[in-house]
Amino acid sequence: MLTGKLLGSGFARSTVGGKAAPIVPYRLLIPDKGTANLQTLGAESARWKATAQRFRGLSQRGQLEQQVANRAQFTDEVLATVADNVRLGACCVLVAETGDGKIVGAMSYALIPPREGAINLLAIDPGELVGAPGSRGLRGIGTAMVAAVSRQFLAQGVETVYLHPFDSAAADFWGGRGFGVCGRGMLMCVRGKEGIGRLIDGCEALPDCETCLVCGLARDVEAMRLPSAR
């Protein structure tokens, strides 16, 4: 398990064959630069890379949609970048990790003085992509990571958050979170404290932790607010 600054926890919705399956709990944290962390990030980067390579092969044989293979390649590069940033002690990264030590989400972001921020990269485990063979259909991890980093932005006085989506599917995801087109190409942004605050929808702050969130199903969020559940 990774160590670092815990920002919260989440409950990913999982669907298998169109039927509801048990939710998957995970933690959101900023990893510190420890030897064990670097080893874990290296091993998980290798796992993501192997998955991306396998998907590329399936795509070349016509057994997987090209878009899925392309997105898997992108996710591989995202986690590798996050791992390098942790190794170098560079700001700013965030990961989502399940209880069995698997990294299922990775993000890099930036604070741009005096009042701007950017989400540079965001990806989930390539094995959990829509259309990926064997995917559990996990939902909610990306949204939770956006919520967690949005609280970091608000704490730093950020008033505009920028990003550049990877493709049209990513643009749809970000549009659903509240981002709109605000520049040439596919540049998107959300403006104002209220707009950034809406990115936290679906998550609740833990009453005894100013920076922590619980994201996911309403009944589980409510249960996690009880001291006996933590």
Side-chain angles (χ1 to χ4, degrees), residues 23-215:
I23 58 176
V24 177
Y26 58 86
R27 303 185 306 149
L28 300 167
L29 74 160
I30 300 173
D32 55 42
K33 185 183 175 181
T35 301
N37 275 2
L38 296 179
Q39 290 175 343
T40 297
L41 287 165
E44 285 296 275
S45 292
R47 181 176 69 82
W48 282 33
K49 184 177 185 65
T51 300
Q53 291 175 336
R54 179 166 60 88
F55 288 1
R56 188 182 308 116
L58 290 173
S59 176
Q60 290 170 347
R61 294 191 295 273
Q63 298 173 337
L64 185 67
E65 291 185 9
Q66 183 65 50
Q67 185 182 45
V68 177
N70 290 344
R71 292 178 69 82
Q73 179 70 41
F74 170 74
T75 66
D76 163 32
E77 295 168 357
V78 171
L79 184 53
T81 298
V82 167
D84 281 343
N85 285 351
V86 174
R87 178 176 58 82
L88 295 171
C91 181
C92 304
V93 299
L94 175 66
V95 300
E97 180 188 42
T98 59
D100 58 2
K102 286 187 177 181
I103 295 177
V104 290
M107 171 192 279
S108 73
Y109 60 98
L111 296 168
I112 308 170
R115 299 293 182 188
E116 296 180 339
I119 295 176
N120 298 325
L121 299 168
L122 171 62
I124 65 168
D125 185 336
E128 301 296 350
L129 293 173
V130 175
S135 172
R136 292 174 292 178
L138 294 185
R139 298 291 182 273
I141 296 172
T143 299
M145 297 185 78
V146 172
V149 78
S150 295
R151 283 179 62 86
Q152 300 296 300
F153 284 144
L154 289 173
Q156 296 295 324
V158 169
E159 296 180 359
T160 304
V161 179
Y162 296 94
L163 58 86
H164 195 288
F166 174 70
D167 56 20
S168 58
D172 289 342
F173 168 83
W174 292 113
R177 307 282 81 74
F179 282 81
V181 176
C182 63
R184 281 186 267 180
M186 295 178 69
L187 184 67
M188 303 179 76
C189 69
V190 61
R191 301 183 187 278
K193 292 182 179 179
E194 289 187 4
I196 298 173
R198 284 194 293 273
L199 299 177
I200 304 172
D201 287 351
C203 299
E204 293 286 342
L206 296 183
D208 52 358
C209 179
E210 293 182 358
T211 61
C212 295
L213 296 175
V214 172
C215 307

